[in-house]
Amino acid sequence: QVQLVESGGGVVQPGRSLRLSCAASGFTFSNYGMHWVRQAPGKGLEWVAFISYDENNKYYADSMKGRFTISRDNSKNTLYLQMNSLRAEDTAVYYCVKAAYGDYVLDYWGQGTLVTVSS
Amino acid sequence: SSELTQDPAVSVALGQTVRITCQGDSLRTYYASWYQQKPGQAPVLVIYGKNNRPSGIPDRFSGSSSGNTASLTITGAQAEDEADYYCSSRDSSGNHLVFGGGTKLTVL
C-alpha cells in the first residue's frame, strides 16, 4: 500500500531554515509527480509546490517562491522541501502528497509534519 | 492565480441529500477534485475528474460541474460524513493548484 512519511518538522526561529523529507513506498515513486500542501492551525489547505516525476518541472505558490525549494531523489524514493527565511505565517502542518490522473489530483497524503516558526 | 469559493458551513439531516458547491473561473477549464478531512486526520480524495471515485469511496458521493461551479453531492448522508470538504483545481496558468476555503459539513 502507498505510504508517505514526512519528517524534519519542529520549532525554528524566524529567519532560519528547515528541510522536510518525505519517504515514499508502495508505488513506483519515479513515475509520479509530487506536491507539498500545508495547513496552518485551524485553517484550510494551502498548496505549496509541485515537482514532476523527472524533476524537469517545478512550480511554487507565489507566497513561497524564492524561499522554498522542492526537490526529489528518485534513487532514494524521497521528496524534499527546503524552506528558507521562515516566517511566523509559515507555521503549519506540511503534507507530502502523491499526484495522479494528470498531476493535479492528489490521491495519497502523508500524515503531515508540524513546522512551528517562533522565537 | 485564481480563487475557489466555498460556503463555510453546510448542514444536512441524517439520510438526506446535500450538495456542496465550489465556484471559480478556473472551473470553466479544469475539473475540480474534492477532499474530505476529518479532525486530526490527513485529507482523503473522494471525487476527481468528471465524476470519478477512488477505490473505497462510497457511491453516495458524486460530483458534477456546470460553468464556473463544481458540486459535490452526498446522497443519503451518514454520520461518518461529517467533516471538512475542500475543492481544488488547477489555476488559470495550468501550473498551480488552488484550494477552496473549505466547507464544514454537519450531519444532524
Side-chain angles (χ1 to χ4, degrees):
Chain A
Q1 72 281 21
V2 173
Q3 282 198 311
L4 299 166
V5 180
E6 301 94 338
S7 61
V11 180
V12 60
Q13 293 179 329
R16 304 298 290 261
S17 299
L18 204 61
R19 188 176 84 155
L20 305 183
S21 299
C22 170
S25 61
F27 66 103
T28 305
F29 180 71
S30 58
N31 285 354
Y32 293 92
M34 298 291 294
H35 295 260
W36 287 99
V37 175
R38 72 182 185 182
Q39 187 169 35
K43 302 297 185 182
L45 301 174
E46 181 181 22
W47 176 71
V48 173
F50 165 78
I51 185 168
S52 60
Y53 71 99
D54 58 2
E55 287 195 273
N56 283 345
N57 296 299
K58 300 179 184 180
Y59 303 110
Y60 300 89
D62 291 344
S63 60
M64 287 151 251
K65 194 171 184 179
R67 297 190 301 125
F68 290 9
T69 302
I70 190 171
S71 63
R72 65 192 296 161
D73 186 336
N74 286 344
S75 69
K76 296 182 178 179
N77 290 346
T78 302
L79 177 72
Y80 302 101
L81 184 68
Q82 177 68 41
M83 303 185 294
N84 298 331
S85 303
L86 283 163
R87 308 165 180 165
E89 54 265 36
D90 295 319
T91 294
V93 173
Y94 285 74
Y95 293 103
C96 164
V97 194
K98 174 183 170 291
Y101 313 116
D103 281 337
Y104 287 85
V105 174
L106 311 181
D107 64 345
Y108 287 96
W109 297 62
Q111 283 305 302
T113 186
L114 176 62
V115 173
T116 302
V117 183
S118 173
S119 54
Chain B
S1 61
S2 57
E3 294 183 350
L4 297 178
T5 302
Q6 298 182 241
D7 291 329
V10 171
S11 62
V12 61
L14 184 68
Q16 296 303 300
T17 296
V18 62
R19 176 175 292 181
I20 299 170
T21 62
C22 174
Q23 289 188 302
D25 287 342
S26 63
L27 299 178
R28 297 184 185 279
T29 305
Y30 301 108
Y31 286 117
S33 298
W34 290 92
Y35 303 89
Q36 176 193 69
Q37 187 180 33
K38 297 180 180 180
Q41 298 183 17
V44 172
L45 175 67
V46 294
I47 291 289
Y48 66 95
K50 189 174 183 180
N51 179 19
N52 300 298
R53 283 177 290 106
S55 174
I57 301 301
D59 60 6
R60 63 179 179 271
F61 289 88
S62 63
S64 61
S65 185
S66 177
N68 72 336
T69 302
S71 300
L72 172 70
T73 300
I74 307 174
T75 304
Q78 302 300 302
E80 60 264 32
D81 299 334
E82 188 163 286
D84 293 327
Y85 290 86
Y86 295 91
C87 62
S88 75
S89 82
R90 298 188 189 220
D91 75 349
S92 54
S93 76
N95 295 325
H96 291 197
L97 188 68
V98 60
F99 285 96
T103 297
K104 182 177 183 60
L105 175 66
T106 300
V107 180
L108 304 172

